[in-house]
Amino acid sequence: MAVGLTTRMTAADPDALKDAARCLRNGGLVAFPTETVYGLGADAGNAAAIARLYQAKGRPAFNPLIAHVADLAAARNIAVFDAEALNLAESFWPGPLTLVLPKAPNCPVADLATAGLDTVAVRIPAHPVAVALLRAFGGAVVAPSANLSGHVSPTTAAHVQSDLAGRIDLIVDGGAVSVGVESTIVGCFEQPMLLRPGGLPREAIEQVLGRALLQPPQDPDGAMAQPLAPGMLASHYAPRTPVRLMADEVRPGEALLAFGPAVLPGMDKAIAVMNLSGLADLAEAATNLFGYLRALDARGAAGIAVMPVPDHGLGEAINDRLRRAAV
């Protein structure tokens, strides 16, 4: 995205929170305090706004984002809770715990926010400003830390301004945060798994569960074998249909994931054609990526041919996801 927006800073009064909620509804990016760190918020159901968020952060890959909600009823609108997940939610929310759960039927969170996975990360923050903003907005807000990717996480509005001025629309100043590290993430799988340590100690979670949290599986070299959560290299949506990258033609029986205005040999005989962006706009391409992959995967083609996508800006993240889909 072009740097050069006018980023407003505002105190966290009721009128400012109404303005911030309106900004989110209009596809804007709003930084706001949680008890852990300042988050950079976007409407969780607006893929175009989420693409802007990735651009603003300079985030190198489409990792899953945490959906923040105001209460448990809102959380149950986007995720499925079993008895253990509900016990954790009732014990520690609002607070610095994120749960990774199966998506609810008709989950309104955009595929781009979940990195195409069938799970969603969700939490209820404890900060009064965050909760008031979420209530004013009336839905889920994805909010990774409000800093440039790779920089130290922000614990004051001034930290946010230093990193993101000119890249986002609004910063709500609610003072310094109280916890100062990101939320603990627990995957609510067949057995609960600690996916990221954070502001809630493991011991407190294990006491409520009555058993130890599992550790994520690791490769022999000690690296995580299948990361599944925000703050990690994300597991990826893998189509059942074979994916062929850098296609310069469409082979018989293939569907085509196109980019830009170019016409390829064999394109007229493709099983299906979906264009990430006819105008070669990388933000539009990011918005469409996971939905189009799923749609082409459902067409019964012998393969999915993918036209080249430039490897700069959001193109780097798009190509990262495409390479993972082609493995």
mmCIF file of all heavy atoms in Angstrom, residues 215-227 233 324:
data_model
loop_
_atom_site.group_PDB
_atom_site.id
_atom_site.type_symbol
_atom_site.label_atom_id
_atom_site.label_comp_id
_atom_site.label_asym_id
_atom_site.label_seq_id
_atom_site.Cartn_x
_atom_site.Cartn_y
_atom_site.Cartn_z
ATOM 1 N N GLN A 215 2.389 -30.508 23.737
ATOM 2 C CA GLN A 215 3.271 -29.645 22.963
ATOM 3 C C GLN A 215 3.026 -29.910 21.484
ATOM 4 O O GLN A 215 2.692 -31.038 21.101
ATOM 5 C CB GLN A 215 4.738 -29.931 23.284
ATOM 6 C CG GLN A 215 5.157 -29.476 24.670
ATOM 7 C CD GLN A 215 5.140 -27.970 24.788
ATOM 8 O OE1 GLN A 215 4.365 -27.397 25.554
ATOM 9 N NE2 GLN A 215 5.985 -27.303 24.008
ATOM 10 N N PRO A 216 3.170 -28.906 20.599
ATOM 11 C CA PRO A 216 3.008 -29.148 19.170
ATOM 12 C C PRO A 216 4.022 -30.171 18.676
ATOM 13 O O PRO A 216 5.137 -30.243 19.195
ATOM 14 C CB PRO A 216 3.271 -27.779 18.540
ATOM 15 C CG PRO A 216 3.073 -26.797 19.641
ATOM 16 C CD PRO A 216 3.489 -27.509 20.895
ATOM 17 N N PRO A 217 3.659 -30.999 17.670
ATOM 18 C CA PRO A 217 4.608 -31.962 17.121
ATOM 19 C C PRO A 217 5.797 -31.256 16.498
ATOM 20 O O PRO A 217 5.661 -30.164 15.955
ATOM 21 C CB PRO A 217 3.789 -32.709 16.060
ATOM 22 C CG PRO A 217 2.656 -31.788 15.740
ATOM 23 C CD PRO A 217 2.363 -31.027 16.987
ATOM 24 N N GLN A 218 6.970 -31.885 16.610
ATOM 25 C CA GLN A 218 8.197 -31.286 16.083
ATOM 26 C C GLN A 218 8.893 -32.237 15.128
ATOM 27 O O GLN A 218 8.794 -33.462 15.251
ATOM 28 C CB GLN A 218 9.149 -30.918 17.225
ATOM 29 C CG GLN A 218 8.617 -29.806 18.123
ATOM 30 C CD GLN A 218 9.642 -29.361 19.137
ATOM 31 O OE1 GLN A 218 10.470 -30.143 19.575
ATOM 32 N NE2 GLN A 218 9.592 -28.096 19.511
ATOM 33 N N ASP A 219 9.589 -31.640 14.162
ATOM 34 C CA ASP A 219 10.457 -32.410 13.279
ATOM 35 C C ASP A 219 11.698 -32.854 14.057
ATOM 36 O O ASP A 219 11.978 -32.344 15.146
ATOM 37 C CB ASP A 219 10.887 -31.549 12.083
ATOM 38 C CG ASP A 219 9.713 -31.277 11.142
ATOM 39 O OD1 ASP A 219 8.829 -32.143 11.067
ATOM 40 O OD2 ASP A 219 9.693 -30.211 10.505
ATOM 41 N N PRO A 220 12.496 -33.784 13.495
ATOM 42 C CA PRO A 220 13.705 -34.231 14.190
ATOM 43 C C PRO A 220 14.695 -33.111 14.519
ATOM 44 O O PRO A 220 15.433 -33.198 15.492
ATOM 45 C CB PRO A 220 14.325 -35.228 13.195
ATOM 46 C CG PRO A 220 13.154 -35.751 12.426
ATOM 47 C CD PRO A 220 12.213 -34.588 12.292
ATOM 48 N N ASP A 221 14.670 -32.031 13.720
ATOM 49 C CA ASP A 221 15.604 -30.930 13.997
ATOM 50 C C ASP A 221 15.072 -29.965 15.050
ATOM 51 O O ASP A 221 15.692 -28.947 15.360
ATOM 52 C CB ASP A 221 15.937 -30.166 12.708
ATOM 53 C CG ASP A 221 14.713 -29.494 12.090
ATOM 54 O OD1 ASP A 221 13.612 -29.603 12.665
ATOM 55 O OD2 ASP A 221 14.867 -28.856 11.030
ATOM 56 N N GLY A 222 13.902 -30.281 15.604
ATOM 57 C CA GLY A 222 13.346 -29.445 16.675
ATOM 58 C C GLY A 222 12.387 -28.384 16.192
ATOM 59 O O GLY A 222 11.769 -27.695 16.996
ATOM 60 N N ALA A 223 12.231 -28.237 14.876
ATOM 61 C CA ALA A 223 11.300 -27.243 14.354
ATOM 62 C C ALA A 223 9.876 -27.760 14.454
ATOM 63 O O ALA A 223 9.641 -28.966 14.474
ATOM 64 C CB ALA A 223 11.634 -26.925 12.898
ATOM 65 N N MET A 224 8.926 -26.844 14.522
ATOM 66 C CA MET A 224 7.537 -27.257 14.619
ATOM 67 C C MET A 224 7.098 -27.889 13.312
ATOM 68 O O MET A 224 7.309 -27.352 12.229
ATOM 69 C CB MET A 224 6.664 -26.043 14.941
ATOM 70 C CG MET A 224 5.230 -26.401 15.265
ATOM 71 S SD MET A 224 4.349 -24.984 15.897
ATOM 72 C CE MET A 224 5.219 -24.703 17.419
ATOM 73 N N ALA A 225 6.486 -29.061 13.393
ATOM 74 C CA ALA A 225 6.127 -29.800 12.190
ATOM 75 C C ALA A 225 4.903 -29.210 11.500
ATOM 76 O O ALA A 225 4.840 -29.149 10.286
ATOM 77 C CB ALA A 225 5.865 -31.259 12.544
ATOM 78 N N GLN A 226 3.911 -28.764 12.269
ATOM 79 C CA GLN A 226 2.682 -28.255 11.667
ATOM 80 C C GLN A 226 2.118 -27.112 12.498
ATOM 81 O O GLN A 226 1.164 -27.282 13.254
ATOM 82 C CB GLN A 226 1.641 -29.373 11.529
ATOM 83 C CG GLN A 226 0.446 -28.953 10.685
ATOM 84 C CD GLN A 226 -0.615 -30.020 10.643
ATOM 85 O OE1 GLN A 226 -0.711 -30.855 11.527
ATOM 86 N NE2 GLN A 226 -1.440 -29.996 9.617
ATOM 87 N N PRO A 227 2.730 -25.922 12.372
ATOM 88 C CA PRO A 227 2.210 -24.792 13.131
ATOM 89 C C PRO A 227 0.767 -24.497 12.764
ATOM 90 O O PRO A 227 0.358 -24.639 11.625
ATOM 91 C CB PRO A 227 3.143 -23.645 12.729
ATOM 92 C CG PRO A 227 4.370 -24.315 12.207
ATOM 93 C CD PRO A 227 3.890 -25.573 11.569
ATOM 94 N N LEU A 233 4.539 -19.817 11.926
ATOM 95 C CA LEU A 233 4.385 -20.085 10.508
ATOM 96 C C LEU A 233 3.158 -20.962 10.355
ATOM 97 O O LEU A 233 3.086 -22.045 10.913
ATOM 98 C CB LEU A 233 5.626 -20.803 9.960
ATOM 99 C CG LEU A 233 6.916 -19.999 10.022
ATOM 100 C CD1 LEU A 233 8.077 -20.856 9.584
ATOM 101 C CD2 LEU A 233 6.801 -18.761 9.144
ATOM 102 N N ARG A 324 2.912 -23.325 -0.873
ATOM 103 C CA ARG A 324 2.467 -24.308 0.103
ATOM 104 C C ARG A 324 1.335 -25.163 -0.447
ATOM 105 O O ARG A 324 1.261 -26.369 -0.187
ATOM 106 C CB ARG A 324 2.005 -23.598 1.391
ATOM 107 C CG ARG A 324 3.122 -22.898 2.163
ATOM 108 C CD ARG A 324 2.527 -21.993 3.231
ATOM 109 N NE ARG A 324 3.550 -21.241 3.929
ATOM 110 C CZ ARG A 324 4.094 -21.605 5.090
ATOM 111 N NH1 ARG A 324 3.722 -22.724 5.670
ATOM 112 N NH2 ARG A 324 5.005 -20.849 5.657
#
